[in-house]
Amino acid sequence: MKTKISRSKAKMKTHLIKPAMGDRRILSHLRKSTVVDLRMNISRPDPEASGNIAGSTGVRQILVKSAPAPGIGHPLGRKLMKRPSRDVPPAGRSAGLREASPDDGMEVALREARLAARKGEVPIGAVVVRDGVVLARGHNRPIGTTDPTAHAEVVAIRKAARKIGNYRLIGCDLYVTVEPCAMCLGAILQARIGRLIYGAADPKAGAVESIVRFPIDKTNHRLEIRSGIRAEECAAVLRDFFRKRRIE
């Protein structure tokens, strides 16, 4: 049997030429007597087959080459190689906020608070985090939006809900620089936020532990609360803002 070999820069392909009448009987016998192991890319004789054909080794090698194992050069092999492993995190992804420290989440909220101060709004910032990834951030905007409900927590919750397409923010953390008021705490419970982390207490409007203690234990949602995270820094942003306003 003859073979025609074409070479290219990427790989070498082996093609079978139409065999003569005498060679067809050999090929027919080889299909019955040869078991091709695609994984190892080798062929081995079937122990149940009888007889030995001289010169059949070369033909077997050609048959194996014409049916390569699903490796790099095979379409199935290329598809399997491109599929990412579920156990390995994407390359270049940094550690999440949850894994690092609550200070990191509060730092993002503080940036939002300073942004609100530059706009003339009361400097309170908030950020929604899930699995260490920031979903949304917000700051006080009632003056700019003429919306009395546009507190930092509500703004961030609305953005996060729109982003994930769900009004339930299950498994999310909310970082806010100041203790939430009753309205914002109610929104946090309605959104099913898993954990609330805030900095400074609000002695004039705080509904967690200041002017009123919201009866969270009587609701159908369990909210984990942490307070005092960078409290002095959060309070200093508020003091500086109102001091400048009094001077003006």
Side-chain angles (χ1 to χ4, degrees):
M1 189 180 79
K2 298 180 181 180
T3 62
K4 181 181 178 181
I5 300 176
S6 59
R7 298 177 181 271
S8 64
K9 294 181 180 180
K11 58 183 178 179
M12 180 179 71
K13 297 181 179 179
T14 305
H15 305 278
L16 287 176
I17 302 300
K18 186 176 181 181
M21 290 298 296
D23 294 332
R24 290 181 183 176
R25 290 192 296 271
I26 298 176
L27 290 174
S28 177
H29 182 85
L30 285 175
R31 292 190 187 101
K32 298 178 181 179
S33 62
T34 303
V35 178
V36 179
D37 190 341
L38 293 178
R39 291 185 179 180
M40 300 301 296
N41 224 10
I42 60 173
S43 61
R44 60 179 183 271
D46 190 343
E48 296 182 0
S50 59
N52 185 16
I53 300 178
S56 62
T57 302
V59 180
R60 280 184 232 170
Q61 291 175 352
I62 294 174
L63 289 174
V64 172
K65 288 181 181 179
S66 63
I72 299 177
H74 194 275
L76 178 59
R78 290 194 297 268
K79 183 177 181 181
L80 293 174
M81 291 185 67
K82 291 180 180 179
R83 183 180 301 172
S85 174
R86 295 182 179 180
D87 299 330
V88 180
R93 181 171 178 175
S94 58
L97 297 176
R98 181 192 293 269
E99 290 77 4
S101 168
D103 289 350
D104 297 330
M106 192 59 69
E107 174 61 31
V108 180
L110 278 166
R111 293 175 192 168
E112 289 294 314
R114 297 184 184 103
L115 179 58
R118 290 195 293 270
K119 296 179 178 180
E121 303 275 6
V122 175
I124 299 177
V127 57
V128 177
V129 177
R130 184 174 67 179
D131 296 329
V133 178
V134 174
L135 289 182
R137 60 188 75 192
H139 54 268
N140 269 11
R141 299 182 60 192
I143 299 174
T145 60
T146 61
D147 180 3
T149 68
H151 289 196
E153 301 94 314
V154 175
V155 172
I157 288 173
R158 286 172 177 170
K159 288 181 179 179
R162 285 195 297 266
K163 184 170 184 178
I164 68 173
N166 196 329
Y167 74 110
R168 300 295 197 196
L169 301 180
I170 297 174
C172 293
D173 299 337
L174 176 68
Y175 294 82
V176 59
T177 56
V178 178
E179 178 185 3
C181 66
M183 178 190 71
C184 292
L185 193 53
I188 291 169
L189 293 171
Q190 290 296 324
R192 299 297 188 265
I193 295 288
R195 186 169 61 162
L196 167 65
I197 304 100
Y198 68 88
D202 187 351
K204 294 185 178 181
V208 177
E209 58 181 351
S210 296
I211 65 169
V212 64
R213 290 182 179 271
F214 199 99
I216 300 175
D217 57 336
K218 295 183 179 180
T219 66
N220 58 356
H221 176 59
R222 294 294 173 263
L223 175 65
E224 179 185 346
I225 300 176
R226 292 188 60 182
S227 61
I229 306 299
R230 300 178 70 166
E232 181 56 34
E233 190 173 353
C234 294
V237 174
L238 279 171
R239 287 196 302 266
D240 293 343
F241 174 79
F242 287 112
R243 185 178 66 250
K244 292 178 180 179
R245 291 289 296 269
R246 286 191 293 268
I247 295 174
E248 295 173 358

